[in-house]
Amino acid sequence: MHWTMGPSPFFEERHMKLAGRLEDWRAPEVDEDSPDLEAACRTLAGDLADAGFIDLMVPVNSVVDLRAVCLAREAVAYNSALADEVLAMQGIGAGAIWMHGTPEQKARYLDPIRQGKAIAGFALTEPASGSDVANITTRAERTDRGYVLNGAKTLISNAPFADHYIVMARTGEAPGAKGLSAFVVDRGTPGMIPGEPIPLIAPHPLAPIAFEDCHLPADALIGTPGAGFAIAMATFDIFRTSVGAAAVGMARRARDAAVERVLSRHLFGDSMARLPGVQTSLAEMEIDLTTASLAVYSAAWNRDTGNGSATRSASLAKYVGTEHAGRVVDAALQLFGGAGVTRGNIVEKIYREVRAARIYEGASEVQKIVIARDLLKAAGLKR
Ligand SMILES: Cc1cc2nc3c(=O)[nH]c(=O)nc-3n(C[C@H](O)[C@H](O)[C@H](O)COP(=O)(O)OP(=O)(O)OC[C@H]3O[C@@H](n4cnc5c(N)ncnc54)[C@H](O)[C@@H]3O)c2cc1C
């Protein structure tokens, strides 16, 4: 079965060519059960780079083709959620640099990320501020030579082994979100202390990072002081849509597995596929999947063509993509019956893998707030 949407008004010739390349791609075998996922992630990064897919996440000309990014994430996630994590983080951990970095920062960091030789990270969340980004307390104090970081981040993908992290810290130009700045911090910088891996319900490298008198040179600042929140949101305006695409890829894999299952299983003396209740369930899955795909690719098209609000589209795509995908995967597991909850079953694995997408890069409830605020702002509501 085909993993993605066929020709559509959202796609151009180059997207259909890319879809062909993506369809041939298979994730390399890696040890996903290892408590230390570094080796697996480095193998996946090398493979994704060789296939040319990381170039889509970190565009050389600084113009992202979001439809291509979404196609890549959908296809890669169809194959492997861990490979999708690696692909996505190369983009999220590089976005601040290609969008707002100096020529020196771009020259130093971007090519190794594109080549899969360096692994990137993005450190925003703290123990007391995940959804509440404006409450970040990690501080960056200005010194004669640069900055000193103190504070703690948690739930950071690719920690503890990423080669650099985009770190958001309070520099105090204004209260709340307007007093944050973005920094690039290299692995091994004295005072940067990555913690032990946090085990998750599905394979995904994650760890806390502490900063204790961590001295940074002045040129570790990305963009201007106080621009950190805007830089983080510019990154999310691109990558939230692609989280929806990845969720669609996982849901499509679960849907395909469920179709195979009902075709091969007999219940009540007939093919399970002939039971009306089973057909209703499949129809609902297809409706959810199509709704999710449309939300994702119309948002990507909007951004690529400058149509409407990129922020509202991205939140809508993330919300619809991940919520509908979650329903599809749940329904696919239900069609497998008891086999669906046995360890090692493909739908059991996807069920665990797809869940976190409704939480990271802004939980579903946060996306609704963004959508409503953007709608009301356009209608003239002042903050
Ligand atoms: C697999 C994974 C990878 C991650 N990777 C990274 C990373 O690389 N970098 C990084 O910085 N962070 C990362 N995170 C952290 C992630 O961004 C946060 O978990 C997320 O923003 C939610 O923050 P929180 O966990 O502190 O939950 P909280 O902010 O405590 O929120 C808890 C729940 O409350 C609800 N909620 C929140 N706000 C509202 C509201 N206003 N109204 C109604 N309900 C609300 C939501 O359901 C939310 O899930 C990752 C998380 C996971 C699970």
Side-chain angles (χ1 to χ4, degrees), residues 211-262:
F211 297 99
E212 292 176 10
D213 290 334
C214 176
H215 287 256
L216 303 179
D219 63 6
L221 177 75
I222 301 175
T224 51
F229 183 74
I231 290 174
M233 293 308 126
T235 306
F236 287 157
D237 273 354
I238 297 173
F239 287 100
R240 275 180 178 161
T241 303
S242 74
V243 177
V248 166
M250 292 182 227
R252 207 179 284 287
R253 176 84 183 266
R255 188 275 317 266
D256 289 354
V259 168
E260 258 182 50
R261 169 80 175 178
V262 301

Side-chain angles (χ1 to χ4, degrees), residues 29-61:
E29 285 277 319
V30 293
D31 180 5
E32 292 194 357
D33 296 324
S34 163
D36 170 7
L37 287 166
E38 177 168 4
C41 290
R42 290 198 185 275
T43 301
L44 289 166
D47 191 277
L48 291 162
D50 291 348
F53 302 153
I54 300 179
D55 291 347
L56 301 171
M57 308 288 140
V58 191
V60 176
N61 57 4

Side-chain angles (χ1 to χ4, degrees), residues 70 240-245 247-248 292 294-300 311-323 367 371:
C70 288
R240 275 180 178 161
T241 303
S242 74
V243 177
V248 166
L294 287 170
V296 164
Y297 288 103
S298 72
T311 301
R312 196 190 311 170
S313 281
S315 285
L316 207 139
K318 186 187 184 261
Y319 179 87
V320 178
T322 59
E323 290 285 334
Q367 305 308 332
I371 294 165

Side-chain angles (χ1 to χ4, degrees), residues 2 68 83 102 105 121 192 195 244 253 255 322 326 370 380:
H2 206 271
T102 60
Q105 287 169 335
M192 189 195 84
R253 176 84 183 266
R255 188 275 317 266
T322 59
V370 175

